[in-house]
Amino acid sequence: MVMNEITKEIEQLKIEKNAVIFAHYYVNDEVQEIADYIGDSYYLAKIAGSTDAEIIVFCGVSFMGESAKILNPDKTVLMPDISADCPMAHMAEIEKIEEMRKKYDDLAVVCYINSTAELKCHSDVCVTSSNAVKIVKALPNKNVFFIPDENLGRHVAKQIPEKNIILNDGFCHVHAEVTSEDVKTIKEKHPKALVLAHPECRQEVLDIADYTGSTAGIIDYASNSENSEFIICTESGVGYALNENNPDKRFYFAGIKPLCPNMKLNTLEKICHVLKTGENEVFVNDEVCRNALLPLNRMLEMAK
Ligand code: 13P
Ligand code: SF4
């Protein structure tokens, strides 16, 4: 790592303040470079509950910072940019959840971790893309309302045909931009490349993928594969870990290199600023914290 002025200052501040930096695989390369923990949303939620540091600087989007706070109410969670939010996290309605609960006696509301703390409060269990199939399969309920992501919900439903999985119409605008045509175009140029896709992609993309999994799943699959070329269908930030772990392999992003504008709001300057000032602290009210903790803890338990 090249230590420039700002990275030196961040290192110093981390020691002074007893802080750690968490980063999702989608943030800018230079942020991943200085992070103490980098991972997919499941890993980051798991680690959040076990850090000894007093301050967590969360380089991701709001639902991630909020989940870290809910799992660690006594710690300070700071976000480099408090406006970094995931639009999909808001794409479900409490009224619809209540309506579904009235309709099905045994309903389980399964909430993708990409959701607001308020939506989590109305859910029975959280999941991430790395454990959704395992958790939904293990639930005793036949009827499941999966919120907010329709594509992940459909991916789970296809693998568990014995359950009635009701889908909600939320989506990720970044993954929705990747089409099967984009994948086919790049596959024509690199016919030996395997297609690795995140389950937030459209069904038409998942239908032609060789592997579907979380960001960490995609990185592990590519790293353990004998193949040397891959077409990646997810946000291009994963390119950093893919290239670091596999300098001899080639990665091509489908479509126009997918970029999550919210993840990219995390910068070194903003990390340094929040460490210095303590600004952008994540607050979750006590009642929401208590209620949202239940589905998060159930996920951590069931995913083991
Ligand atoms: P992962 O859980 O795979 O890291 O995905 C998080 C996310 O926001 C995908 O868009
Ligand atoms: Fe949300 Fe999509 Fe960005 Fe992930 S990539 S944080 S789902 S907007």
Side-chain angles (χ1 to χ4, degrees):
M1 179 171 88
V2 187
M3 279 279 219
N4 59 24
E5 283 310 309
I6 193 134
T7 49
K8 271 190 212 149
E9 198 172 354
I10 291 172
E11 287 306 321
Q12 192 56 41
L13 284 161
K14 264 175 27 184
I15 299 165
E16 267 171 38
K17 311 262 174 166
N18 188 15
V20 281
I21 299 179
F22 282 28
H24 186 266
Y25 287 124
Y26 292 163
V27 300
N28 297 305
D29 293 3
E30 62 274 20
V31 173
Q32 295 193 49
E33 221 174 285
I34 56 120
D36 299 291
Y37 300 97
I38 314 168
D40 67 358
S41 23
Y42 173 59
Y43 171 79
L44 293 171
K46 209 168 58 169
I47 289 288
S50 62
T51 177
D52 290 331
E54 281 169 56
I55 298 176
I56 298 172
V57 179
F58 211 119
C59 305
V61 288
S62 308
F63 76 83
M64 297 179 173
E66 251 176 19
S67 299
K69 181 67 186 176
I70 293 163
L71 289 160
N72 261 307
D74 299 333
K75 300 215 190 270
T76 301
V77 179
L78 305 176
M79 296 211 43
D81 190 316
I82 206 81
S83 70
D85 196 3
C86 168
M88 184 171 65
H90 303 266
M91 292 184 190
E93 283 157 20
I94 310 245
E95 297 72 40
K96 189 81 194 282
I97 297 177
E98 283 164 358
E99 196 187 300
M100 288 296 162
R101 286 206 192 274
K102 278 193 200 127
K103 196 164 169 193
Y104 299 97
D105 285 347
D106 76 324
L107 190 79
V109 179
V110 174
C111 177
Y112 188 23
I113 198 164
N114 295 43
S115 56
T116 60
E118 204 199 350
L119 284 170
K120 289 185 176 78
C121 291
H122 291 266
S123 303
D124 299 298
V125 64
C126 283
V127 295
T128 74
S129 51
S130 70
N131 55 39
V133 173
K134 179 178 177 179
I135 290 178
V136 174
K137 213 176 231 169
L139 288 172
N141 320 60
K142 167 138 176 78
N143 294 299
V144 170
F145 184 31
F146 194 99
I147 58 165
D149 186 24
E150 182 172 1
N151 288 324
L152 176 61
R154 191 181 299 103
H155 170 70
V156 171
K158 278 185 174 281
Q159 289 171 77
I160 317 176
E162 64 277 19
K163 297 212 183 218
N164 175 35
I165 300 183
I166 305 145
L167 303 177
N168 175 72
D169 58 5
F171 64 97
C172 162
H173 67 102
V174 181
H175 288 82
E177 271 181 31
V178 181
T179 65
S180 55
E181 273 315 303
D182 295 331
V183 178
K184 284 175 192 157
T185 307
I186 196 145
K187 184 96 182 167
E188 272 166 28
K189 282 196 214 145
H190 307 283
K192 290 194 182 141
L194 293 178
V195 179
L196 315 185
H198 194 280
E200 284 175 19
C201 288
R202 296 158 180 250
Q203 187 58 45
E204 65 184 47
V205 171
L206 302 186
D207 284 342
I208 53 173
D210 295 291
Y211 169 79
T212 298
S214 75
T215 50
I218 289 173
I219 294 162
D220 286 350
Y221 187 95
S223 305
N224 295 324
S225 169
E226 300 279 297
N227 218 63
S228 57
E229 289 183 294
F230 303 88
I231 294 165
I232 305 296
C233 307
T234 192
E235 212 273 354
S236 51
V238 298
Y240 176 77
L242 285 169
N243 288 309
E244 282 277 298
N245 297 351
N246 305 285
D248 300 330
K249 297 186 181 179
R250 291 284 157 268
F251 301 100
Y252 314 106
F253 282 89
I256 305 160
K257 234 180 169 189
L259 283 177
C260 174
N262 283 287
M263 287 283 187
K264 301 308 189 214
L265 290 173
N266 293 283
T267 63
L268 293 181
E269 289 73 18
K270 291 178 195 171
I271 295 170
C272 194
H273 180 76
V274 296
L275 273 170
K276 262 192 223 157
T277 62
E279 278 175 24
N280 294 352
E281 183 169 354
V282 176
F283 291 104
V284 182
N285 87 43
D286 290 351
E287 197 188 343
V288 173
C289 238
R290 268 196 309 277
N291 292 331
L293 182 62
L294 302 174
L296 276 170
N297 270 343
R298 195 169 176 203
M299 170 185 82
L300 295 174
E301 196 48 45
M302 290 183 78
K304 270 182 193 161

